[in-house]
Each structure stands twice: as structure tokens, then as C-alpha cells.
Amino acid sequence: MSASGSEPARGALGVGLVYWSELAPLFAPGSAVVDVLELEPQALWEKGWHDGGWRYRVNEGLLEQVAGLPQAKLVHGVAQPLGGTTPDPVEHVSLLRHAVDLLDPSWISEHLSFNRVERPSGVEEAGFLLPPLQTAAGVRVAADNIEGFRRALGRPVAFETGVSYLRRRDDELDDASYFRAVAETADCGILLDLHNLWCNEVNGRDRVSDVLAGLPLDRVWEMHLAGGMPLSGYWLDAHSGAVPPPVIDLAAELMPRLRGLRALMFEILPEHLPTIGIDGVHRQIEALRALWALKPRETLPPIGASSSTSKRAHGRPEDVDEARAWENALVDLIRGRTTGASPYGDVAADPGIDILRELVGDFRRAGLTRALRYTMTALLAGLGSQQTHALLDAYIAQEDADPYPAVESDRFARFLRERPGILDRVQYLRETLDFEHGLLRATLFGATTEIEWSADPTAIFDALDSGHLPTALPPMHSTMRIG
Amino acid sequence: MTELNPQPLPPRVRVFLPREAAYDLEKMQKITATVLGKLGCGGCHSGHVFDFLTLEDFVVNPDTFEVQEGFVGQRF
């Protein structure tokens, strides 16, 4: 592999799925359902405090399990996107490099978005992948990021065409021009997420046909297809089920034009798997195979950057300032903060801001549900939905987001401990919180916690698993140590 | 003390219970493993993430249980 991240063209990889353990039967040796496994490596990372700072730690056992599966592998980043000005302050390149070395992908992809901003007090996580600045300055910022990503990981890079729930602005490039400019300036590949483009059209942005007409289609190495769902008049890219028929039709029209396509992937999130079931995923894969048969059979053009990228225009400090002004303003608007003298104050009137605010809230509440499930159940069962929402809204307004459930939940646990009135109102809430928070503190900080149980903890959890508070449990005192 | 081994992963969290604990250790191990198994980055979502919504619907609208609403208007 050359330092520029170029390599001789490998063959087409075929049809595949984004990997989740819930879909494991479809990847099992001998199943022959899919040709390609795409891994989001950060799903196997945890965040912890070590040696005076935050560090990521990979679940080596799961990563090696995935590496041992028979399919060709791709790596699809989800946490260090390529469209913004603020890099992840936590060291991550070595873990990405490790995943690349183990999985040997033909290319790596990441989102053309941003998800964190720089403030005087430090880096603030946005809690969501947000649309980047679509101007010439934004193009140069993105191209610099892509080149850095390519050099750090030693593989060709493709960016994913993103969804945006915001209206297109007059002062920005249209979507096709922006994607084209980034791809040509960075000399990189494109991961065409066709459902994202369809969402954008349905939600009032550019038409899919116009975007496709303006894209350098030979640079499309990979295509994603997914399902979505409605929310408040918008169509969300929710990875929530079958690919909508209009998107299948668009893909069928497009496939003969994608000379450079090497992989066609279906995306579904595990929480939505019950919607269509494993059999439904099978049917989606069959539909993708029918699309794959429409692909041109000619020799694939090579992928990877040429040496001419060093001659392109690089981002200037004023480009970073311009992009940063957009990023800070958007995050402020989503969090309900005033934007002061920002040129983007008018974006406050965009109804997409309310959608983004709700989605960020969903994401943060989901993190709490994953890592503090029993605490959240006790709150809902003890306070009711309305009061729990009010509590969570107060928390979200006060504390910054973190994409790692353990970190988000540690913050919420400390927020809750500052409200002893609530802990006292709901029976067994305090010891339930102590238990879950103790597990989190052990993973985050290596801290030891002793929990005093007043009743059989399995009886408490049994009741919460059934959706109600335990009542009238026989007293049973015990001490548990977590560390 | 009895030690649980709640994760099939390289162990990083240890849970100790009193030897005389009269409750179901296997269940306790499963619960602990469930918490520890969901801490990866949930970064790539451009839509609803349903975990809380699903839990809320389950807890607030369980088929057989009523939920007592808390005091309206209380500030947190």
C-alpha cells in the first residue's frame, strides 16, 4: 500500500450488510447470504479515563470474531466524520489503524458531516452527525480532512453523501456541486447513500435526479440502501426497515451507470430488526442481488488518490473560521442557545432545527437507556412519563452530550444524585442507580463501589424487567462490591 | 466473597457478592453482562434512536400495569 493510499484495483466485492451481532446468522460461515461485511469500528470501542485522560479501548474479542468471518470486509467510520473543523480530541487513529490492519478493507468510508465543535472551554460533542458547511471553504476543509484520513490509515477513502434535515441555503453550494467538489478536490471515492439523497428530496432539498446528474459517478465505489420513517412531516434516514420502493427504482435506474461500483450494502439498525425480521433482511439482500445484476460488467477503474492531490488548494485559516462559524451556530441553535452576531441566525426559523433537536434528544436518551436501563425504568414507573421527560430535558439542557453511553450515563447519574428528593420518592431507585452507576464507574475510571441492597436485587430487576416498580419485597440486606 | 464473571470479554469489571447471598447468581451475572454489553459508540444514526421510546412505551403502557403520574409542574 503506497503512502498516498492508492492500490491496484481489487475486484468487485458484491452485496453486503452493515454488521451487528443481532445479524450474526447472516454472516456465519457457510451461510453464503452476503459477500461483504461492513463494520462500524467504533461500535466495538468503549471510552474510559486512564493515565490522566480519556482513551478509547477496543473489544478485541469481538473485533477478532468479526475479522474471522468469511466475508470481504469494509470499514465504515461513524465518529470522526470528514466534514468539520474539530478533530476528535481522544486518540483514535491507532484503533482505526488496528481495525484496518485486521480487516484489510479495500477502502475506508466516513461521513461527510461534523459532530463536535471547539469552544473556549474545550470540545463540545454535538450528539449527532450534522450537515457541514457547503461552501468553497467547506470543500477545502473536508478535502484536507480526507487527505489526512487517507495518510493516517493508508487506504483509499470514500465519503458518505449525507442526509440534511435543513433547507438548502442561497449562500451554499447545491448538494451535487458540493459532493463533486469534495470528491475532485480530495481525489477520493464516494459512498453514495441513495436513501439519504431520497430523504433530502422528500424533505425539500435537491432532487435525487439533479444530484446524480452532477456527481462524478465513476467515483462511486459503494452504495448504501436503507429504510426510514416519518417524523413531524419529515422522512428520516432511520435504517428502520425495508428499502422504500421508489429508492429501489432509483437504484435500478442508476446501477448501469456505476462503472466503479464495488459494493452494495443494506443497512438496518438492530433495534428495528423485529420490524422485518431476519427473513425480511434476506428478502432485502435478494432485492440488492437483483440490482447488483444490473451493474456494468466492464473492468473496474482503479481506486485511490493520484499524486496530484498535493497540488490542490488546501484549507486556509479563514476557511476554518468560516466553517467553524457555521458549526458553532448550528450546535447553538439545536441546544436552544442564542447565536449572537452569527450570520446564521436565520437558520433558527428552519423547522429542521426542531427535528435535529428531537433526534439529538432521542440519541442522548437512548444512551441513558442502554447504560442505565433499570434506573430509567424505575424513573418512568415511579415518576411517570411526563415528569421523567421533564427531568431528562433539564439534564440535556444542562450537560453536554457524549456519544458513548457510559460517559453520558455517568453524567446523568451524577445529575440525579444532586436531586435526592427524586431518589427518595421512588422505592429502590437509589440502590438500582448505585448498581448501574457502579458498573459504569468501574469501566470508565476503574473505581470501586459498594452497594447496599435492602432486598433481593434480582427481585428488584425482575419487577423492573416487567415494567413496574417492585412492591412489598421481603427485606434482605447484602453488600455487593463492584470494581 | 463470590465473584461473578459477567462478561465473555477480557474481564474489566469484577462483581463480588457475599458468600451467603441467597439470590440467583446466574441471573445477577446476566443482568450485569447486559449492562456491560451496550457501551459501544452509537454514532451512526440519522434518524430516531428508539431505545428510550421503546422503554417508555413498555413501562407507561404495559398491558397489565397502571402507572402513577408524578406531581405535575415540579421543576428539576
Side-chain angles (χ1 to χ4, degrees):
Chain A
M1 179 63 58
S2 72
S4 68
S6 299
E7 62 152 29
R10 297 187 191 180
L13 302 180
V15 171
L17 271 176
V18 174
Y19 179 84
W20 297 102
S21 59
E22 290 84 347
L23 297 171
L26 299 175
F27 296 96
S31 69
V33 173
V34 291
D35 311 310
V36 192
L37 177 158
E38 183 158 282
L39 181 69
E40 297 177 359
Q42 294 88 351
L44 302 186
W45 297 2
E46 290 179 17
K47 195 170 172 181
W49 185 268
H50 303 287
D51 300 326
W54 289 109
R55 307 271 182 263
Y56 294 131
R57 174 181 59 215
V58 65
N59 185 324
E60 284 289 354
L62 285 180
L63 182 60
E64 284 177 15
Q65 264 182 33
V66 170
L69 291 170
Q71 293 81 19
K73 311 297 188 303
L74 290 173
V75 172
H76 181 54
V78 299
Q80 288 86 24
L82 301 168
T85 60
T86 304
D88 188 342
V90 182
E91 202 285 314
H92 54 276
V93 173
S94 60
L95 277 79
L96 286 174
R97 190 86 207 211
H98 177 56
V100 165
D101 289 345
L102 207 55
L103 302 177
D104 192 25
S106 297
W107 64 87
I108 307 162
S109 56
E110 241 293 5
H111 295 74
L112 191 57
S113 311
F114 76 96
N115 66 348
R116 52 183 64 88
V117 291
E118 186 131 4
R119 306 287 195 188
S121 54
V123 173
E124 176 185 347
E125 296 283 342
F128 212 67
L129 292 168
L130 296 174
L133 179 71
Q134 289 190 193
T135 63
V139 167
R140 288 188 287 269
V141 165
D144 280 350
N145 290 338
I146 290 167
E147 189 174 324
F149 204 59
R150 179 168 50 222
R151 287 189 189 283
L153 300 179
R155 296 291 162 124
V157 172
F159 67 80
E160 177 175 329
T161 53
V163 70
S164 175
Y165 300 117
L166 301 177
R167 294 180 189 137
R168 192 154 70 73
R169 299 171 55 82
D170 292 337
D171 60 355
E172 67 178 356
L173 296 167
D174 61 80
D175 293 349
S177 299
Y178 173 64
F179 295 145
R180 180 179 207 104
V182 172
E184 290 177 346
T185 306
D187 194 10
C188 68
I190 297 174
L191 189 171
L192 181 66
D193 191 308
L194 196 58
H195 186 255
N196 281 354
L197 297 193
W198 190 68
C199 286
N200 292 346
E201 175 178 331
V202 168
N203 296 330
R205 284 183 73 92
D206 304 354
R207 293 188 311 170
V208 176
S209 55
D210 292 339
V211 177
L212 294 178
L215 281 184
L217 293 180
D218 281 3
R219 290 185 180 273
V220 176
W221 301 341
E222 183 180 350
M223 188 152 71
H224 276 184
L225 298 177
M229 63 174 54
L231 175 69
S232 303
Y234 282 72
W235 187 258
L236 302 184
D237 177 46
H239 301 182
S240 52
V243 181
V247 179
I248 293 286
D249 292 343
L250 284 166
E253 269 182 52
L254 181 60
M255 285 295 291
R257 298 159 61 193
L258 298 179
R259 285 196 322 127
L261 189 72
R262 286 168 159 78
L264 179 62
M265 312 297 291
F266 176 58
E267 298 183 283
I268 185 165
L269 290 175
E271 68 224 55
H272 296 296
L273 187 57
T275 306
I276 63 173
I278 287 280
D279 286 348
V281 176
H282 266 280
R283 286 192 291 275
Q284 292 297 293
I285 296 300
E286 284 164 20
L288 267 63
R289 288 212 180 277
L291 291 171
W292 185 255
L294 302 173
K295 200 181 89 63
R297 294 288 166 215
E298 51 205 82
T299 305
L300 290 165
I303 62 174
S306 68
S307 60
S308 64
T309 51
S310 61
K311 301 190 179 72
R312 66 165 177 87
H314 289 268
R316 305 159 300 182
E318 51 267 40
D319 293 335
V320 173
D321 290 343
E322 184 181 316
R324 193 162 279 167
W326 162 253
E327 293 163 12
N328 286 1
L330 184 54
V331 171
D332 281 341
L333 288 169
I334 291 168
R335 294 204 66 180
R337 300 192 285 238
T338 57
T339 58
S342 161
Y344 303 110
D346 60 313
V347 180
D350 190 325
I353 293 290
D354 291 334
I355 295 294
L356 286 171
R357 187 176 299 123
E358 183 160 353
L359 296 179
V360 171
D362 277 348
F363 181 80
R364 296 188 66 180
R365 286 183 287 267
L368 301 180
T369 304
R370 287 175 186 167
L372 289 173
R373 180 179 183 85
Y374 291 106
T375 300
M376 299 298 284
T377 304
L379 285 170
L380 285 165
L383 301 182
S385 181
Q386 189 173 2
Q387 297 305 299
T388 303
H389 267 277
L391 179 68
L392 293 173
D393 288 347
Y395 163 72
I396 286 171
Q398 177 178 310
E399 299 290 336
D400 290 347
D402 196 283
Y404 287 83
V407 178
E408 179 84 78
S409 298
D410 174 61
R411 288 180 187 161
F412 179 69
R414 289 186 277 117
F415 172 90
L416 200 50
R417 290 190 193 286
E418 292 168 0
R419 286 148 182 82
I422 296 176
L423 295 177
D424 293 337
R425 262 173 65 188
V426 182
Q427 193 174 21
Y428 304 114
L429 174 59
R430 191 183 294 276
E431 52 210 276
T432 300
L433 176 66
D434 286 347
F435 170 70
E436 289 186 307
H437 195 198
L439 291 174
L440 297 180
R441 282 168 41 79
T443 65
L444 287 170
F445 309 115
T448 299
T449 305
E450 288 207 345
I451 297 110
E452 300 290 339
W453 294 102
S454 62
D456 177 350
T458 61
I460 296 173
F461 295 133
D462 274 346
L464 294 173
D465 273 333
S466 301
H468 68 98
L469 287 176
T471 54
L473 292 177
M476 184 201 296
H477 293 278
S478 65
T479 303
M480 179 186 285
R481 190 167 78 240
I482 298 175
Chain B
M1 278 214 158
T2 306
E3 181 181 349
L4 296 184
N5 181 21
Q7 64 261 288
L9 324 164
R12 66 200 187 283
V13 175
R14 305 173 78 183
V15 180
F16 296 92
L17 309 178
R19 286 193 196 284
E20 64 277 10
Y23 45 85
D24 187 335
L25 300 188
E26 198 180 315
K27 197 180 275 190
M28 204 60 228
Q29 183 152 305
K30 218 170 157 181
I31 289 163
T32 309
T34 301
V35 173
L36 295 176
K38 293 192 175 179
L39 303 183
C41 174
C44 181
H45 305 296
S46 309
H48 263 317
V49 185
F50 265 18
D51 301 59
F52 177 76
L53 298 168
T54 304
L55 181 67
E56 179 182 25
D57 192 53
F58 174 68
V59 174
V60 176
N61 298 303
D63 286 343
T64 57
F65 302 112
E66 293 179 7
V67 174
Q68 304 292 328
E69 283 291 332
F71 298 107
V72 174
Q74 178 158 347
R75 292 173 63 83
F76 295 107

